[in-house]
């Protein structure tokens, strides 16, 4: 992997894939601020980068030595204010890529409130990313019927938007990639933001996505438990009961909606873990089991490779 000084694959690396043919999404314009990546960690062995001011969204690919045919579109969190790259991105590689054989595609997506007037920009990026992975699945030894999405925190909200709105026309079709289905074959939501209506809603994510005075229609439309349909993908949920940033009620609401709609679903609620534990902050906790549980669930909910 060719790596630039900020830890990212270089623009000409095969592991960095632009979503849109011209870099920018159809009809979009570049932000005034240049894209930048900030490193918050002082420990070189535990990077903790985030990216902001994304004008030209892209994927970074992590490929296993022995691929099992499955893939995950990874949608990290960051409160719709930033996109974290390591805690909910590269940190997944040991469990999912090296041990699980899953090909990961970590999404750098456009953020609301940074000059992208369209609050559907992030969903457009997620749809395009899923379609691109499916269109080029053969290049990465992926079964196109074994492509899922995994989202964390506000990225979980975006993943749920993809899973419930994969067929919404949020950007104009541009090429053969856009003829592919954007429906994930399964979705994994890890301490996700779900609700925009009640006391468990995440006020920061809501404000960045919907502004300071959303109306009742907007609040309902972006409360993901209200958008579950009978073709929503099978869903795996993980949350900690002591999460004081995105309360566990978010996952409970979504799980109940899935059950009502008859969607195959599995939920794991752990007593401890707080928020944003990913795979790094679970030492000594039962929440450390979630990646193995997720891999087993994926195996039981996907079509065997052809």
């Amino acid at each position: 992997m060719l790596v630039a000084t900020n830890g990212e694959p270089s623009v000409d690396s095969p592991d960095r894939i632009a979503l849109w043919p011209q870099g920018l999404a159809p009809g979009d314009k570049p932000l005034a601020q240049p894209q930048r990546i900030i490193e918050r960690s002082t420990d070189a062995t535990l990077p903790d980068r985030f990216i902001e001011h994304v004008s030209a969204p892209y994927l970074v690919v992590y490929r296993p030595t022995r691929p099992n045919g499955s893939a995950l579109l990874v949608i990290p969190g960051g409160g719709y204010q930033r996109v974290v790259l390591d805690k909910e991105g590269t940190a997944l590689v040991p469990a999912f890529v090296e041990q699980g054989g899953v090909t990961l595609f970590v999404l750098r997506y456009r953020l609301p409130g940074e000059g992208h007037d369209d609050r559907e920009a992030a969903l457009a990026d997620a749809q395009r990313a899923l379609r691109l992975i499916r269109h080029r699945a053969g290049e990465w030894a992926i079964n196109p019927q074994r492509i899922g999405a995994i989202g964390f925190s506000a990225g979980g909200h975006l993943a749920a938007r993809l899973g419930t709105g994969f067929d919404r026309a949020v950007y104009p079709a541009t090429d053969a990639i856009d003829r592919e289905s954007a429906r994930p074959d399964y979705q994994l939501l890890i301490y996700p933001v779900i609700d925009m209506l009640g006391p468990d809603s995440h006020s920061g994510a809501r404000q960045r996505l919907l502004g300071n005075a959303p109306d009742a229609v907007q609040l309902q439309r972006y409360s993901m438990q209200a958008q579950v349909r009978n073709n929503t993908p099978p869903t795996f949920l993980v949350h900690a009961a002591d999460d004081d940033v995105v309360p566990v009620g978010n996952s409970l609401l979504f799980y109940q909606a899935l059950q009502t709609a008859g969607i195959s679903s599995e939920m794991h609620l752990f007593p401890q873990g707080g928020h944003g534990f990913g795979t790094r902050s679970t030492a000594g906790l039962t929440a450390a089991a979630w990646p193995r549980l997720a891999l087993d669930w994926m195996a039981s909910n996907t079509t065997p490779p052809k």
Side-chain angles (χ1 to χ4, degrees):
M1 178 183 289
L2 300 174
V3 180
T5 55
N6 57 15
E8 290 288 88
S10 60
V11 174
D12 57 348
S13 169
D15 297 306
R16 176 169 170 161
I17 303 168
L19 290 190
W20 307 97
Q22 306 303 319
L24 298 176
D28 202 9
K29 59 184 183 298
L31 299 176
Q33 310 96 320
Q35 176 178 297
R36 67 173 184 168
I37 294 176
I38 306 297
E39 173 60 83
R40 297 180 287 190
S41 175
T42 58
D43 184 346
T45 66
L46 291 173
D48 183 18
R49 300 168 300 147
F50 69 83
I51 190 171
E52 60 185 3
H53 310 320
V54 174
S55 290
Y58 60 99
L59 294 163
V60 173
V61 186
Y62 299 92
R63 291 178 278 186
T65 303
R66 292 181 293 276
N68 69 6
S70 64
L72 283 173
L73 169 63
V74 181
I75 307 178
Y80 279 129
Q81 183 176 21
R82 59 182 67 89
V83 180
V84 300
L85 301 180
D86 296 305
K87 291 176 68 176
E88 296 164 354
T90 60
L92 304 178
V93 169
F96 284 87
V97 179
E98 296 170 0
Q99 299 170 30
V102 180
T103 304
L104 297 184
F105 298 81
V106 185
L107 179 63
R108 282 76 167 139
Y109 55 94
R110 290 172 293 159
L111 294 162
E114 283 194 339
H116 299 293
D117 297 330
D118 183 3
R119 64 171 55 96
E120 304 293 5
L123 177 57
D125 291 346
Q127 287 185 354
R128 174 72 178 188
L130 203 294
R131 288 174 170 136
L132 187 154
I133 297 166
R134 183 161 280 137
H135 188 73
R136 297 176 56 183
E139 297 179 29
W140 297 296
I142 293 167
N143 183 330
Q145 295 179 325
R146 296 181 64 183
I147 301 171
I150 181 170
F152 298 80
S153 193
H157 186 263
L158 180 52
R161 289 169 67 192
L162 177 63
T164 59
F166 53 85
D167 53 359
R168 287 184 56 202
V170 294
Y171 70 91
T174 60
D175 53 27
I177 291 171
D178 291 326
R179 291 196 289 270
E180 301 282 358
S181 171
R183 181 183 183 272
D185 294 302
Y186 43 87
Q187 61 182 359
L188 299 87
L189 308 180
I190 316 301
Y191 40 84
V193 172
I194 294 294
D195 188 33
M196 295 284 162
L197 288 161
D200 286 342
S201 63
H202 187 280
S203 59
R206 182 182 62 218
Q207 190 277 332
R208 292 178 195 107
L209 183 63
L210 302 180
N212 293 322
D215 60 32
V217 172
Q218 291 174 325
L219 292 171
Q220 180 81 357
R221 179 176 177 181
Y222 291 93
S223 290
M224 292 298 99
Q225 74 274 17
Q227 304 305 317
V228 173
R229 303 178 292 170
N230 61 8
N231 58 357
T232 297
T235 304
F236 179 90
L237 288 152
V238 170
H239 223 117
D242 64 349
D243 190 333
D244 60 359
V245 177
V246 178
V248 69
N250 284 269
S251 284
L252 293 171
L253 283 169
F254 200 71
Y255 180 77
Q256 183 59 58
L258 292 166
Q259 292 297 294
T260 300
I263 304 300
S264 175
S265 50
E266 180 169 318
M267 180 168 59
H268 294 274
L269 303 182
F270 297 101
Q272 294 177 294
H275 187 70
F277 50 81
T279 59
R280 287 183 179 174
S281 305
T282 56
L285 302 178
T286 53
W290 82 262
R292 182 69 258 167
L293 294 168
L295 287 165
D296 290 344
W297 177 84
M298 286 169 57
S300 70
N301 278 276
T302 55
T303 305
K306 294 179 181 178

